[in-house]
Amino acid sequence: MSSLLSKKVAPMCLSVPREISIAPSNGHHNLYFPSSKISIHTKKGEFQPAALHPTYGSQDFCLIVEDNLETVKQELEAKGIHPLLDIAERHGAHGAMRSLYVRAPDGNLVELSSYC
């Protein structure tokens, strides 16, 4: 799953191939691909947590992990990487998942998720 920040959703939606579905969701839109999802935000930082300095055209991304998220969290903390929030319940391209958020060195958001 990724997030894209765009000022104008409508023109972008007109150029989306038929294999991709578009759905509004809590003030933003989602592009659903066969195996992934991109969330399109129209306001900077409308979904939290967000990048430190969101800009139009920037993206956050999600990596799917197979390990237990509690174990991943402990490993990150042991290496001095502290999650922004505790593990949160989210909805991804394939349904319910649990997510953990950290910052990339450039301040962008990285979501680590595991499907339930």
Side-chain angles (χ1 to χ4, degrees):
M1 184 178 73
S2 292
S3 296
L4 175 66
L5 184 60
S6 177
K7 287 183 180 180
K8 298 179 180 178
V9 174
M12 186 175 65
C13 292
L14 294 174
S15 64
V16 174
R18 290 184 185 150
E19 299 81 27
I20 302 170
S21 63
I22 302 168
S25 175
N26 297 323
H28 66 275
H29 290 76
N30 293 318
L31 297 177
Y32 288 94
F33 298 82
S35 64
S36 61
K37 175 179 88 167
I38 296 177
S39 297
I40 305 165
H41 302 282
T42 56
K43 297 176 189 157
K44 295 180 178 183
E46 72 178 320
F47 180 81
Q48 295 296 323
L52 284 177
H53 307 287
T55 58
Y56 293 104
S58 65
Q59 288 190 343
D60 299 330
F61 63 94
C62 176
L63 300 172
I64 303 301
V65 298
E66 294 180 2
D67 294 333
N68 181 300
L69 276 184
E70 284 82 5
T71 303
V72 171
K73 181 180 177 185
Q74 290 171 358
E75 290 177 15
L76 290 169
E77 290 173 336
K79 294 176 181 178
I81 302 169
H82 301 285
L84 302 174
L85 306 169
D86 201 9
I87 295 171
E89 302 292 325
R90 299 285 187 235
H91 191 273
H94 297 288
M97 62 184 196
R98 300 176 71 222
S99 296
L100 192 60
Y101 297 92
V102 296
R103 292 245 181 257
D106 63 2
N108 280 323
L109 185 69
V110 177
E111 180 180 2
L112 303 170
S113 299
S114 177
Y115 281 100
C116 301

